[in-house]
Amino acid sequence: MARHVIAPVDEFPPGTRKFLEIDGRPIAVFNIKGEYFGLSNRCPHQGAALCEGPLIGLAQSKDPGEIEYSRLGEIIRCPWHGWEFDVRTGQSYCDPRRFRVKAYPAHVEPGASVVKGPYVAETIPVRVESNYVVVEL
Amino acid sequence: MNIQFRETTESASPPTIKTAIADCDIHPARATRTELYPYLAKRWQHHLDVYGVHAYQGMMEGPPYPKAQPNASRRDAYPPEGGPQGSSLSFMQQQHLDPNNVQLGVLNPLGTGQGIRNHELSAALCSAINDWQIDKWTSKDKRLKASIVVGNEDAMTAAAEIRERAGDKNFVQVLLLSRNVEPLGQRRYWPIYQAAEEAGLPVGVHAFGFGGNPITPSGWPSYYIEEMVGHSQCQQSALASLVLEGVCERFPKLKMVMIEAGFGWAPSLCWRLDKVWQRLRSEVPHVRRPPSEYIREQVWWTTQPMEDPERREDLLDVIEWIGWDRLLFATDYPHWDYDEPSRVLPPGVSEANREAFYLGNARKLYGITA
C-alpha cells in the first residue's frame, strides 16, 4: 500500500475537503473535526461525484415518531440521488452488503517520516518540521 | 518512487457514453424570476409583480422546495455563473449534452403557466415560455427541441397556442401534466387533442401538476417519498381516463408520451384494463377494442425514473412486453433523480434494441432525422 502525501496539515483545516486523482482514481479527503478520511469519489450507484454532496447527520428511528439524529457531519449524501454513506467506513445504511464506497485510510504523519524512504511528494514541498496528511492507496 | 496525484475540483466525472442518445426529458429553468418578462405584455408583468400566480391548490404539494436536493435538482448542477440548476445552456452543454453524446434533447419546462386559475395569465405565461424556449434554447443549440406548453385548463386557448406553433420545427410535442383539475380524458380537454392530432404532434403527459387534487387517491400523504410513488398512480389514472373516455378512439392518429412516471406498471395496468373491459364493455361502448390495443398503438414511455428491480433481468421482461420500439430514453436532467445513460440497461441487450431505446425510437416519434 503506497502512501501519498496530499497536503500540509495547516493547509487542510477542519470542515474542508480536497478532491484528488491518485493513480487515475478519483478520491476525496475530508477533515472532519481534525480527523481525516479518504473516500472514493464515485458513487457505487450510478457514478456521480459522490463527495460533492453535503455532509449530513444520521437519521435513525427505533419507532415511528422517534427520531434520533446523530453523527452530524459524518455522513456523505450523493449529489444526485441522495444515497448516504458513512465517511468513516464507506458503509451504506440502505444496503450495506451490496453497496459500499471504497474508503482509503487518511492520517497525519510527521514530515520526518514522509521525507524518508520512497515517500516523496512531487508537488508539495515537504518541510521536515511540518505534519502532513497522507492517504494510503 | 515519486507519487503522482492531481488536485481536481470536478473529479469523478461520470464515464462518457459513446452511444449517441436522445434525452426526452430535460428541464430548462429560468435564471431569474423575471426572465420571462420580455415575452410578456406589460399588463402581465404588472400583474405578476402585484398579484403573483394562483394555482388550483395551496402550498400542499408541489411548490414547496427543495424536495430531496435544492430545487429538486442535482447538487452538482448549479451553473458556475449562478442561477438555479438547468438555467444555463452553456453549462448544460458542458455537463450533460456533450459528455453524454445527446443528439436530441426534448425540453419540458415545468413551473410554467399550467395549472393557474387565471386562464388569461396562464395562456400568456405559456406563450411566453414557448417564445423563451426558442430564444434561449432551441435556436442556440440545434440538438434541443421544445415542447409546446399550453394552458391546460382552458382547452380552447390551448388549442389556439398549438395551432399557432404548428409547423414550427423548434417544437416536437405538446406538453400536458398528469395532475389536472379533471382526469385527462374528459371532454373539456379534447380540443387540445384535436389540435395536436391535426398538427401531427405527440402529446407528452409529464408527471406532476397543480390540479388541486391530492397526489394519492386516498388523500394527502405525509412524506415526499409517497409523492414520488404517487406519480405513477396518477399517470395510471390519466392513461385509463384517456382510453376509457374515448380519446384514443376519437383521435386515432394522436400519439401520447407518458413522461417521468416509470413504465414497470404498464403491463399490469393493461392486463387489468382488458380484464374489466371484457366484463364492463357495455358501460363504455365507445371503447370498441381492448384498452391495451389502443395503448400499444398510441402510447410511448420515457424511461426515467427507471424501475430498479432486484433481479435486473426482470426489467427486460417488462420492456419485452411494452416493446423495444416504445421506450424513449430520458435522464430528467438536471433533476435529482437523473438517470445516468451508461448505467440504466442490464447487459445482454441486442445492439438494435439498444439503439432504438437510446435514440432511434425518439427520432422516429419526434420526426428528427439524423
Side-chain angles (χ1 to χ4, degrees):
Chain A
M1 200 174 269
R3 295 185 302 162
H4 302 262
V5 176
I6 59 165
V9 163
D10 51 10
E11 288 176 18
F12 198 163
T16 62
R17 57 185 98 171
K18 282 187 184 293
F19 295 104
L20 312 158
E21 200 174 285
I22 306 178
D23 290 344
R25 275 180 268 189
I27 286 165
V29 185
F30 299 82
N31 180 345
I32 298 174
K33 298 168 198 158
E35 284 185 276
Y36 294 88
F37 304 99
L39 274 187
S40 162
N41 192 22
R42 189 166 283 155
C43 183
H45 172 227
Q46 289 198 348
L50 175 68
C51 299
E52 290 180 29
L55 284 166
I56 60 170
L58 183 64
Q60 288 177 300
S61 177
K62 287 194 185 77
D63 235 351
E66 283 179 30
I67 297 166
E68 284 172 37
Y69 196 59
S70 62
R71 303 196 44 205
L72 198 60
E74 295 182 18
I75 308 294
I76 189 81
R77 191 170 192 274
C78 180
W80 289 4
H81 306 108
W83 283 38
E84 297 166 2
F85 298 92
D86 192 328
V87 172
R88 289 178 180 273
T89 58
Q91 176 104 33
S92 142
Y93 280 83
C94 293
D95 193 348
R97 279 175 312 163
R98 280 174 67 207
F99 291 102
R100 62 177 302 125
V101 178
K102 175 94 178 126
Y104 297 99
H107 46 86
V108 175
E109 293 197 12
S113 79
V114 295
V115 290
K116 276 185 198 158
Y119 308 115
V120 179
E122 204 172 58
T123 49
I124 293 178
V126 174
R127 298 180 307 279
V128 177
E129 68 271 22
S130 300
N131 288 331
Y132 297 90
V133 181
V134 172
V135 173
E136 287 182 23
L137 191 67
Chain B
M1 88 187 176
N2 282 327
I3 294 121
Q4 298 288 335
F5 77 84
R6 186 166 67 87
E7 201 153 347
T8 63
T9 50
E10 47 185 68
S11 46
S13 53
T16 54
I17 182 168
K18 296 289 178 283
T19 319
I21 64 168
D23 185 349
C24 296
D25 192 23
I26 294 178
H27 297 293
R30 279 158 277 176
T32 62
R33 186 185 73 85
T34 55
E35 193 170 298
L36 287 184
Y37 278 25
Y39 312 99
L40 283 167
K42 272 276 180 290
R43 187 261 180 282
W44 294 119
Q45 297 177 21
H46 293 158
H47 185 101
L48 288 173
D49 289 343
V50 175
Y51 300 101
V53 295
H54 298 274
Y56 279 90
Q57 63 195 54
M59 301 292 277
M60 299 289 289
E61 285 284 301
Y65 281 89
K67 289 193 170 178
Q69 304 272 22
N71 301 315
S73 294
R74 285 170 46 169
R75 229 169 218 282
D76 60 351
Y78 284 106
E81 67 265 41
Q85 300 93 328
S87 64
S88 157
L89 173 62
S90 60
F91 189 59
M92 183 186 287
Q93 290 165 332
Q94 179 197 324
Q95 185 174 47
H96 178 43
L97 302 179
D98 298 343
N100 286 326
N101 197 3
V102 177
Q103 301 287 309
L104 164 64
V106 180
L107 302 175
N108 292 319
L110 298 177
T112 54
Q114 298 182 312
I116 290 176
R117 281 180 271 161
N118 180 329
H119 289 178
E120 285 73 34
L121 174 61
S122 170
L125 276 168
C126 289
S127 187
I129 282 277
N130 294 333
D131 288 336
W132 169 85
Q133 288 187 89
I134 299 175
D135 262 17
K136 181 167 173 178
W137 304 92
T138 60
S139 67
K140 303 235 161 70
D141 190 323
K142 292 298 170 200
R143 293 171 289 188
L144 297 176
K145 295 290 175 185
S147 297
I148 305 175
V149 179
V150 294
N152 50 327
E153 297 304 341
D154 179 6
M156 295 310 288
T157 319
E161 179 75 15
I162 296 168
R163 294 200 169 95
E164 198 180 309
R165 308 282 177 180
D168 182 337
K169 295 294 181 203
N170 288 293
F171 295 98
V172 293
Q173 75 180 349
V174 173
L175 184 64
L176 293 179
L177 299 169
S178 60
R179 300 173 65 193
N180 302 276
V181 170
E182 307 281 358
L184 267 183
Q186 299 207 350
R187 288 183 195 205
R188 58 182 292 175
Y189 302 113
W190 285 20
I192 299 174
Y193 307 128
Q194 191 178 345
E197 189 188 45
E198 283 168 17
L201 292 170
V203 168
V205 179
H206 191 286
F208 224 68
F210 307 98
N213 301 307
I215 182 134
T216 81
S218 46
W220 298 99
S222 302
Y223 303 110
Y224 177 50
I225 191 170
E226 294 173 273
E227 189 183 327
M228 287 298 289
V229 293
H231 289 305
S232 62
Q233 301 161 22
C234 187
Q235 204 93 337
Q236 292 185 53
S237 312
L239 188 51
S241 170
L242 285 160
V243 175
L244 298 176
E245 295 271 359
V247 170
C248 295
E249 179 65 39
R250 176 67 171 267
F251 305 105
K253 294 203 179 87
L254 182 68
K255 295 170 178 175
M256 291 173 283
V257 187
M258 297 289 121
I259 305 174
E260 205 183 328
F263 54 82
W265 45 268
S268 79
L269 176 73
C270 286
W271 296 332
R272 279 181 287 143
L273 279 172
D274 284 1
K275 180 175 177 177
V276 291
W277 177 81
Q278 284 158 357
R279 297 165 187 201
L280 306 174
R281 194 202 56 79
S282 61
E283 186 192 15
V284 285
H286 53 274
V287 182
R288 295 192 297 177
R289 294 186 288 146
S292 66
E293 283 191 19
Y294 296 102
I295 292 175
R296 282 178 177 281
E297 284 170 21
Q298 290 179 258
V299 177
W300 279 254
W301 320 77
T302 66
T303 57
Q304 191 280 339
M306 284 185 66
E307 283 84 359
D308 204 356
E310 198 176 350
R311 290 190 330 129
R312 298 198 73 203
E313 316 85 75
D314 291 348
L315 191 68
L316 300 181
D317 293 344
V318 172
I319 296 178
E320 286 294 337
W321 190 91
I322 293 175
W324 280 97
D325 59 338
R326 290 283 142 165
L327 290 171
L328 311 172
F329 179 72
T331 68
D332 198 26
Y333 181 89
H335 289 172
W336 73 270
D337 46 349
Y338 169 88
D339 273 348
E340 163 61 30
S342 60
R343 303 283 189 113
V344 295
L345 277 185
V349 177
S350 76
E351 202 41 54
N353 284 344
R354 283 178 62 87
E355 197 281 330
F357 175 93
Y358 278 115
L359 183 61
N361 297 339
R363 275 194 173 149
K364 210 161 153 188
L365 176 69
Y366 292 119
I368 307 293
T369 46

